[in-house]
């Protein structure tokens, strides 16, 4: 009998739906949500992206490190971390909505503790296995975890500055600078490094082509550059030295180009980019570079952290929707049918659902994001319409994810009814990066 597996992916699904609802409310009914900007950003970055990272990082770690099926760190511990993280996240949201200093600090600390546990288990699992050339991905996950722990510490200081009447004057004056530092280490360090590490091996798999020669060496070389760039940018932000933010982000962009983008471009030259998942991920990576360039440029010209924060608010939204949001949707579009399984026919049926009207969906979202980028400094009614288009695109993705899962489930049941019980399909522990499940031809 097949062993039942914990369904932590349902938590990602819950937050994905919540993110669409919150984004719609933020556009259409701005006064409904408490702390609307904070809520929108954190439902996406912590609710959707962090849940996804906690789940999928262990999916890849099990494959790349050849962990045994009963490894507690990637199984029981990962499930408990997921539960603890979501409890802490709900507590964090409730505390922010009620302006509770103590509650926000406590739950932000719990989030940091869970991520520290995640990074520690990753490090322990990889100990003695770093000789594998593909274990570089796990190094990205470990370093990324350290950045989110730092971000949670900064969140504690920001909470005191926001809600405490006895906050010291120096903390109140440094609030905007610390906000920038908090955003940089969380988005660039935690989300950015986690995505960059995953794309190193997942990108070529989605393109149905081997990794480019030297891709692993490039990614190893890029990691200290990426981490150093975010560290410099975060420290410069905390100290109020805005040019340092630009320097750090340019270093991060250089590492991203050399360690991730160039190997992907070389791999794509073999067969080209085809399908909704690769095009959506490629678009997300492109918009990430554009947003990095915009923020870096503002950093060199802004007189202080407050001015830089104001200038970057619109670009942060573009980064979320056009950049990391699309990378996440592209990866999930490819991975979900593969993990749900059910045999080649069922996987094809699930992928066919996700490919519905894909050229139009890609084009509409890129056009809307492009116009949002062009009008970032102007505002107006047009931006409301554009944001509604973007939200509608992501809502369509969510609906198609649900429809695809249901289609595959029916196909699996039909196959089992026709052929009788069959062995459970290979899990991540049996997959190598050069043999990750590929899209059926």
């Amino acid at each position: 009998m097949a062993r039942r597996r914990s369904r932590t992916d349902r938590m990602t699904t819950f937050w994905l739906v919540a993110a669409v609802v919150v984004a719609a409310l933020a556009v259409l009914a701005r006064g409904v949500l408490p702390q609307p900007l904070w809520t929108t950003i954190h439902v996406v970055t912590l609710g959707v992206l962090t849940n996804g990272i906690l789940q999928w990082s262990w999916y890849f770690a099990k494959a790349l490190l050849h962990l045994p099926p009963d490894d507690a760190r990637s199984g029981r511990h990962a499930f408990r971390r997921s539960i603890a993280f979501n409890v802490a996240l709900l507590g964090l949201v409730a505390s922010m909505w009620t302006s509770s200093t103590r509650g926000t600090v406590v739950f932000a600390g719990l989030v940091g503790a869970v991520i520290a546990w995640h990074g520690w288990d990753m490090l322990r699992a990889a100990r003695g296995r770093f000789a594998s050339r593909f274990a570089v991905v796990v190094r990205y996950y470990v370093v990324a975890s350290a950045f989110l722990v730092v971000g949670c510490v900064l969140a504690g200081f920001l909470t005191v500055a926001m809600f405490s009447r006895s906050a010291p004057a120096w903390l109140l004056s440094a609030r905007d600078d610390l906000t920038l530092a908090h955003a940089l280490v969380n988005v660039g360090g935690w989300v950015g490094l986690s995505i960059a590490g995953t794309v190193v091996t997942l990108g070529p798999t989605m393109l149905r082509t081997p990794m480019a020669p030297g891709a692993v060496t490039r990614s190893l070389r890029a990691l200290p550059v990426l981490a150093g760039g975010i560290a410099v940018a975060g420290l410069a932000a905390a100290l109020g030295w805005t040019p340092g933010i630009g320097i750090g982000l340019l270093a991060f962009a250089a590492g991203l180009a050399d360690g991730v983008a160039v190997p992907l471009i070389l791999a794509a030259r073999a067969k080209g980019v085809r399908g909704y998942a690769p095009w959506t991920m490629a678009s997300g990576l492109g918009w990430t570079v554009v947003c990095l360039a915009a923020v870096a440029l503002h950093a060199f010209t802004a007189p202080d952290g407050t001015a830089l924060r104001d200038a970057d608010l619109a670009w942060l939204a573009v980064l979320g929707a056009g950049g990391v949001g699309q990378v996440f949707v592209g990866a999930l579009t490819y991975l979900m049918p593969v993990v749900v399984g059910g045999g080649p026919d069922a996987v094809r049926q699930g992928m066919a659902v996700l490919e519905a009207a894909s050229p139009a969906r890609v084009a509409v979202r890129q056009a809307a994001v492009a116009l949002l980028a062009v009008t970032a400094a102007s505002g107006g009614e047009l931006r409301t319409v554009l944001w509604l288009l973007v939200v509608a695109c992501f809502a369509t993705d969510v609906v198609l994810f649900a429809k695809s899962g249901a289609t595959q489930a029916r196909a699996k049941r039909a196959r089992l009814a026709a052929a009788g019980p069959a062995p459970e399909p290979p899990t991540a522990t049996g997959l190598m990066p050069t043999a990750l499940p590929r899209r059926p031809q």
Side-chain angles (χ1 to χ4, degrees), residues 12 223 399:
T12 306
L223 179 55
V399 171

Side-chain angles (χ1 to χ4, degrees), residues 33-48:
L33 286 174
Q35 302 284 350
L37 179 60
W38 183 94
T39 301
T40 304
I41 292 172
H42 288 78
V43 165
V44 173
T45 55
L46 291 181
V48 178

Side-chain angles (χ1 to χ4, degrees), residues 17 68 71 84 112 118 121 137 197 211 240 250 260 269 275 324 326 329 338 342 368 372 413 438 441:
V17 174
D71 185 89
H118 167 77
D121 265 4
V137 177
M211 294 175 70
L250 288 180
V260 180
R269 289 173 59 185
V324 294
Q326 288 202 97
V329 166
V338 169
L372 285 169
R413 288 194 296 268
R438 296 185 181 275
Q441 302 293 328

Side-chain angles (χ1 to χ4, degrees), residues 412-427:
K412 286 172 67 174
R413 288 194 296 268
R415 181 178 67 83
L416 291 173
E424 187 176 273
T427 63

Side-chain angles (χ1 to χ4, degrees), residues 141-166:
Y141 295 147
V142 172
V143 176
S145 300
F147 274 108
L148 187 55
V149 173
V150 173
C152 290
V153 173
L154 291 173
F157 286 103
L158 287 171
T159 299
V160 174
M162 290 173 65
F163 300 140
S164 177
R165 295 181 179 179
S166 59

Side-chain angles (χ1 to χ4, degrees), residues 21 37 56 92 159 166 189 269 373 393 396:
V21 173
L37 179 60
W56 293 108
L92 181 63
T159 299
S166 59
R269 289 173 59 185
C393 288
T396 301

Side-chain angles (χ1 to χ4, degrees), residues 9 11-13 15-17 19 43-56 191 195 198-199 202 206 276-277 280-285 288 319-336 365 394 397-398 401:
D9 57 302
M11 298 179 188
T12 306
T13 303
W15 286 107
L16 192 57
V17 174
V43 165
V44 173
T45 55
L46 291 181
V48 178
L49 297 176
T50 299
N51 267 294
I53 292 169
L54 288 175
Q55 176 191 355
W56 293 108
V191 176
I195 288 177
T198 301
V199 169
L202 180 61
M206 291 173 64
Y276 182 72
T280 302
M281 175 175 279
S283 300
L285 292 173
T288 298
L319 175 63
V324 294
Q326 288 202 97
V327 172
F328 181 81
V329 166
L332 195 59
T333 299
Y334 179 81
L335 287 168
M336 195 186 85
R365 181 152 43 201
F394 282 105
D397 291 326
V398 173
F401 284 144

Side-chain angles (χ1 to χ4, degrees), residues 177 180 184 232-248 299-300 302-305 308:
D177 293 333
L180 285 171
L184 286 165
V232 168
L235 181 59
L239 296 176
W241 183 43
T242 55
I245 299 174
I247 293 170
F300 285 115
D304 53 39
L308 180 58

